[in-house]
Amino acid sequence: MTTERHILVVAHTGREDSLEAALDVCRQLAADGLVPVLPPDDHAPVVAHAPDLAGAALLGDSVQIGDLELVIVLGGDGTILRAAELARGCSAPLLGVNLGHVGFLAESEREDLGETVARVLARDYLVEERMTLSVRVKVDSEVVYETWALNEATVEKASRERMLEVVIEVDGRPLSTFGCDGVVMSTPTGSTAYSFSAGGPVVWPSLDAMLLVPLSPHALFARPLVVGPDSSLAVEILERTPGSAVLWCDGRRMHDLPAGARVVVRRSPVPVRLARLSQGPFTDRLVNKFNLPVSGWRGPVGEEGARP
């Protein structure tokens, strides 16, 4: 008795290279006896370019997220964040193929696409779990909005000309009040995304922690903070704030914040699972993705953690 293997293929169908890669992957999966599955938004563009793929399964129709074995993502980090949203709540890991600029979450490149699909067919990959954030918005002690984030939850000013007046809180205690353009609350995965651009530290993904990074703060003490995974972070929009605010999670989910709103962030019990084709050190990923200069390094040859 055989069981069908369902592989979700998520692509940036607005880009020709990503769409072509999606066609290649779907055809290779089908040829190898696996069932390619497409999200509703991707099905029409794919079929329009390749009528032979009209029989691809549709997520939420013939195939549910609980039926997925794995998600192949073709694009940059934004496409991977979209795929994480689509697969939220299921155990299927995400395997990213970088077609963007940096592709920090991606595991392979376009030229390795055929080998990547072959590794999927053989189930030849490791699974790594990344912590996510649980995000709540409270107004007058009432929870008015709940969501999650893999990279970051960001409280930002909605009007360019007006700053926010906020008080930040750690573990239920106030820490500092200041004016700013916003506040980023991030996971280690997100430490190389928006938090990085705002001057936050790079945190190795093997470390369970949460980051808080103020955006353009007007204060003497408004440094980036790193707290433990069991802590809670909160940003409260003070009533005296002259402008309005907005919450963004992973740059995908938005919610307006009135004066007096509180955004509370904790570790989510539901991680995101990433498929890895190799166990290379995170240091090498930083060097490769950011093209960091390391010429002249010789290394402590023969010592623990050194090059072989």
Side-chain angles (χ1 to χ4, degrees):
M1 179 177 179
T2 60
T3 302
E4 287 187 329
R5 298 172 59 188
H6 301 96
I7 308 296
L8 179 64
V9 180
V10 180
H12 189 328
T13 54
R15 289 178 45 181
E16 189 66 28
D17 57 342
S18 181
L19 182 57
E20 288 296 330
L23 304 184
D24 292 344
V25 169
C26 288
R27 287 173 175 143
Q28 187 172 344
L29 290 173
D32 289 332
L34 282 68
V35 179
V37 183
L38 295 171
D41 291 344
D42 295 358
H43 193 270
V46 167
V47 172
H49 281 72
D52 59 301
L53 294 175
L58 186 63
L59 184 66
D61 182 14
S62 56
V63 175
Q64 306 304 314
I65 63 168
D67 300 324
L68 300 176
E69 176 182 315
L70 184 131
V71 182
I72 297 178
V73 190
L74 306 160
D77 284 347
T79 309
I80 293 180
L81 292 172
R82 174 180 167 232
E85 188 173 22
L86 286 169
R88 184 68 172 171
C90 78
S91 61
L94 313 178
L95 199 163
V97 178
N98 181 38
L99 301 178
H101 297 293
V102 178
F104 215 94
L105 292 171
E107 186 62 14
S108 64
E109 302 296 325
R110 175 65 172 92
E111 57 269 21
D112 303 319
L113 188 57
E115 179 186 352
T116 298
V117 177
R119 296 278 295 272
V120 171
L121 177 66
R123 294 190 175 97
D124 183 16
Y125 53 83
L126 304 169
V127 176
E128 173 184 305
E129 291 191 343
R130 296 290 184 91
M131 72 173 286
T132 62
L133 302 176
S134 172
V135 185
R136 285 184 170 184
V137 177
K138 294 184 176 182
V139 177
D140 296 328
S141 300
E142 178 186 356
V143 176
V144 297
Y145 181 70
E146 291 188 76
T147 188
W148 68 282
L150 170 58
N151 272 356
E152 73 278 310
T154 307
V155 176
E156 302 178 22
K157 64 180 184 179
S159 301
R160 180 178 180 181
E161 68 277 8
R162 296 181 180 273
M163 72 171 59
L164 299 179
E165 293 285 343
V166 303
V167 56
I168 58 174
E169 171 191 299
V170 179
D171 295 332
R173 301 301 301 161
L175 184 63
S176 185
T177 300
F178 47 78
C180 61
D181 286 350
V183 179
V184 179
M185 291 168 283
S186 165
T187 64
T189 299
S191 72
T192 50
Y194 196 172
S195 172
F196 178 84
S197 299
V202 174
V203 178
W204 263 235
S206 57
L207 179 66
D208 286 339
M210 294 187 295
L211 291 72
L212 186 149
V213 182
L215 301 173
S216 303
H218 292 247
L220 292 175
F221 182 84
R223 301 301 185 196
L225 306 175
V226 180
V227 301
D230 296 324
S231 287
S232 65
L233 299 172
V235 177
E236 184 171 332
I237 312 299
L238 296 179
E239 295 285 355
R240 64 174 182 264
T241 294
S244 56
V246 63
L247 168 70
W248 280 100
C249 289
D250 289 339
R252 295 191 52 79
R253 296 171 296 281
M254 184 269 287
H255 186 79
D256 291 324
L257 300 173
R262 283 170 49 81
V263 178
V264 183
V265 170
R266 293 183 173 87
R267 178 180 187 164
S268 169
V270 183
V272 164
R273 293 160 55 84
L274 300 179
R276 293 302 191 198
L277 302 179
S278 65
Q279 286 185 297
F282 183 67
T283 307
D284 290 353
R285 184 175 290 267
L286 280 175
V287 171
N288 294 333
K289 294 297 184 179
F290 289 140
N291 196 26
L292 302 178
V294 294
S295 59
W297 178 80
R298 294 182 61 83
V301 181
E303 296 183 15
E304 184 179 355
R307 58 189 173 98

